[in-house]
Amino acid sequence: MKLGLSMGINARAENLETMGGFSPDSISGLQHWYKNKEGITVDGSDNVSTWADEQGNQNLVQLSSAQNPAYNAGTGALTFGNEDVLWTGSTSTHLNNGFEAHTFFIVMDIEDVSASRTHILFEGATHSGKFNRIALWKNDSNGNTFTYWYGAESASVYDSHGAKNLVGHPLEYGTKAVLTIHKSAASSATIKWYKNTNLAVTNTDVDVDVDLEVYSLSTGNSAASIRGNVYEVLMYNTALSTDDIASVQNHLIDKFSIS
């Protein structure tokens, strides 16, 4: 009897995701869903070794315990710092291999206030094999706002592949937010960044070689790994409509009590 009651409670808890008639997987194209408090495997020190893909397509793993992000079971936050990173297990295995248009959502906050700190959210390669990153970095003197960036790592690749410096809506330190990265097409694409439901940057053209194939969340580079908390990540293999973007954003805002 107790077992049946427990299973019933768990089933109802799992169905909370769909209350109100919406769940992110009701929108077509959801390829990867790293869900808050779910699919987490920790080691003996409560550090994350695996974050399972709710969609069953590609788990994120860390084979080195020295690079496992810490886990907070209360909030479901994965705390990244130093060289902490989760990846596909091989740089030849990309999460979004073949994505041309795409829409990514990441619920996170930044906790490190170091000057000129880069926080790499996603790392991968372009279709042409060039190294590439989606990142935030500090862009003012008081440590409160960031530049959003989608592009290749070096100035020479930046220049030759048309990546753009995205200056937009501020992300304050210590404030949880939903960041959305929307790429409209394969070539001559528009990149849009949102903070919560506010459009931060648009009309940012990149050429086809900057199609990003992601293989990691954060990076093993100690100078550029995320210094903060990641709560949930969703990756769609399509450019979602404005209405669908708003549906996912509002769902996450409600779920994480973001004001």
Side-chain angles (χ1 to χ4, degrees):
M1 181 65 70
K2 290 182 179 179
L3 178 60
L5 177 61
S6 175
M7 290 176 67
I9 291 171
N10 289 339
R12 287 195 294 275
E14 290 170 1
N15 287 335
L16 288 174
E17 201 70 58
T18 60
M19 287 182 65
F22 178 79
S23 176
D25 57 2
S26 68
I27 298 175
S28 62
L30 180 57
Q31 295 295 298
H32 309 291
W33 189 1
Y34 304 100
K35 199 170 178 180
N36 183 253
K37 298 185 179 181
E38 298 199 20
I40 302 290
T41 300
V42 297
D43 61 18
S45 301
D46 288 332
N47 295 320
V48 178
S49 58
T50 304
W51 198 0
D53 183 359
E54 191 79 4
Q55 296 301 98
N57 289 325
Q58 181 67 62
N59 295 342
L60 289 171
V61 301
Q62 181 46 257
L63 305 179
S64 168
S65 60
Q67 293 180 285
N68 290 351
Y71 183 59
N72 183 321
T75 64
L78 280 69
T79 301
F80 290 81
N82 297 318
E83 298 182 0
D84 296 336
V85 60
L86 290 174
W87 60 313
T88 61
S90 170
T91 55
S92 63
T93 304
H94 292 82
L95 289 174
N96 60 328
N97 193 15
F99 288 22
E100 293 180 344
H102 55 248
T103 312
F104 297 164
F105 300 86
I106 179 169
V107 183
M108 67 178 297
D109 61 59
I110 296 293
E111 297 294 346
D112 191 304
V113 297
S114 302
S116 302
R117 176 79 191 175
T118 300
H119 302 265
I120 293 174
L121 311 186
F122 302 108
E123 189 164 74
T126 64
H127 283 176
S128 61
K130 303 296 184 182
F131 206 52
N132 210 329
R133 290 167 171 169
I134 297 177
L136 305 171
W137 75 88
K138 176 175 170 288
N139 70 344
D140 72 352
S141 59
N142 59 27
N144 288 323
T145 62
F146 286 87
T147 294
Y148 301 161
W149 186 52
Y150 183 119
E153 67 166 340
S154 67
S156 61
V157 178
Y158 171 99
D159 292 337
S160 63
H161 292 85
K164 303 294 183 178
N165 186 9
L166 308 181
V167 180
H169 204 73
L171 176 70
E172 294 82 10
Y173 284 108
T175 301
K176 191 186 303 176
V178 180
L179 300 184
T180 306
I181 305 101
H182 174 276
K183 186 172 186 292
S184 63
S187 60
S188 299
T190 298
I191 306 296
K192 295 181 180 180
W193 281 80
Y194 298 78
K195 176 195 171 187
N196 298 330
T197 58
N198 298 311
L199 183 60
V201 179
T202 189
N203 296 326
T204 303
D205 292 332
V206 297
D207 68 33
V208 66
D209 285 337
V210 188
D211 275 354
L212 182 64
E213 295 179 339
V214 170
Y215 58 70
S216 74
L217 172 63
S218 191
T219 175
N221 181 338
S222 61
S225 60
I226 296 171
R227 296 289 184 92
N229 301 299
V230 175
Y231 299 86
E232 190 151 337
V233 179
L234 301 97
M235 294 182 171
Y236 291 82
N237 67 352
T238 185
L240 297 188
S241 68
T242 301
D243 287 346
D244 284 344
I245 288 172
S247 293
V248 178
Q249 289 169 338
N250 286 321
H251 167 79
L252 294 171
I253 286 167
D254 288 344
K255 180 174 182 177
F256 292 97
S257 302
I258 294 171
S259 58

